[in-house]
């Protein structure tokens, strides 16, 4: 008599089936999504960027956006922090390098122009000057971040000028604080003009003129 094979129990089959892996698609990775939100805020600003726009750009629905980043304002602030971290990473080593002052400033402004002129749909300028500063008028937290950014940049430039003065590149009468403020002001004006699509050569001419004032004519 042939014994019928016993059909496996459903529970036995389930024991051998690997569980489905759960996970968010790449668009849900916080770092990737934050970068896309940053790009959108830089292009359109805070007020003109809707939650639907952010959802489409990041690939995340509204509940997922809220869960990952909070509301629109919190996402804006986190995007701004990301922008500042990226800018520090791009310029930090140049500020720390002990280069001749004119060469050092030339490199700093070149990197700044790379940042300000970037963007698939056109130059985006500086997040601090073009986007965050407008929100700083009525938001004390964003205002504090903007002022902190200005102060940080002034201090970084002042350190460069103090070293140049100590190395004899600048006269004893040179005021490192005033020169730092002029250097920062040059950063701000090229950021604004870059957003207005002023050609890079014209922006570089502005930089060279400012360098002549701050460091003396090129030799």
């Amino acid at each position: 008599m042939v014994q019928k094979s016993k059909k496996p129990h459903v529970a036995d089959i389930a024991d051998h089936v690997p569980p489905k892996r759960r996970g968010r698609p790449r668009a849900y990775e916080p770092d990737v999504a934050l970068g896309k939100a940053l790009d959108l805020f830089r292009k359109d600003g805070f007020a003109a960027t809707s939650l639907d726009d952010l959802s489409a750009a990041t690939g995340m629905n509204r509940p997922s956006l809220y869960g990952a980043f909070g509301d629109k304002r919190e996402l804006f602030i986190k995007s701004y922090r990301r922008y500042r971290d990226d800018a520090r990473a791009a310029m930090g080593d140049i500020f720390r390098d002990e280069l001749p002052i004119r060469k050092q400033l030339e490199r700093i402004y070149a990197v700044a122009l790379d940042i300000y002129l970037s963007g698939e749909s056109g130059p985006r300028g500086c997040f601090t000057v073009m986007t965050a500063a407008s929100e700083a008028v009525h938001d004390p937290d964003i205002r504090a971040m903007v002022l902190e950014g200005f102060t940080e940049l002034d201090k970084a430039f002042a350190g460069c000028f103090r070293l140049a003065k100590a190395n004899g590149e600048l006269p004893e009468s040179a005021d490192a604080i005033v020169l730092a403020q002029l250097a920062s002001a040059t950063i701000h004006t090229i950021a604004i003009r870059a957003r207005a699509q002023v050609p890079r050569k014209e922006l570089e001419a502005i930089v060279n003129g400012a360098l002549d004032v701050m460091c003396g004519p090129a030799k």
Side-chain angles (χ1 to χ4, degrees), residues 97-99 104 158-169:
D97 282 346
E98 295 187 10
L99 297 169
Q104 185 176 34
C160 298
F161 287 116
R162 287 193 185 98
L163 181 60
K165 188 175 177 179
N167 291 339
E169 295 181 71

Side-chain angles (χ1 to χ4, degrees), residues 14-68:
D15 289 341
H16 296 285
V17 175
K20 290 183 178 180
R21 297 183 63 185
R22 293 181 178 181
R24 291 173 171 177
R26 183 169 181 79
Y28 284 89
E29 293 180 9
D31 192 59
V32 174
L34 187 59
K36 291 179 179 178
L38 169 58
D39 288 341
L40 194 58
F41 280 130
R42 285 188 68 189
K43 181 172 72 75
D44 295 337
F46 179 81
T49 300
S50 69
L51 285 171
D52 287 338
D53 294 331
L54 290 165
S55 179
T58 61
M60 301 171 70
N61 57 33
R62 288 194 183 195
S64 296
L65 277 173
Y66 284 125

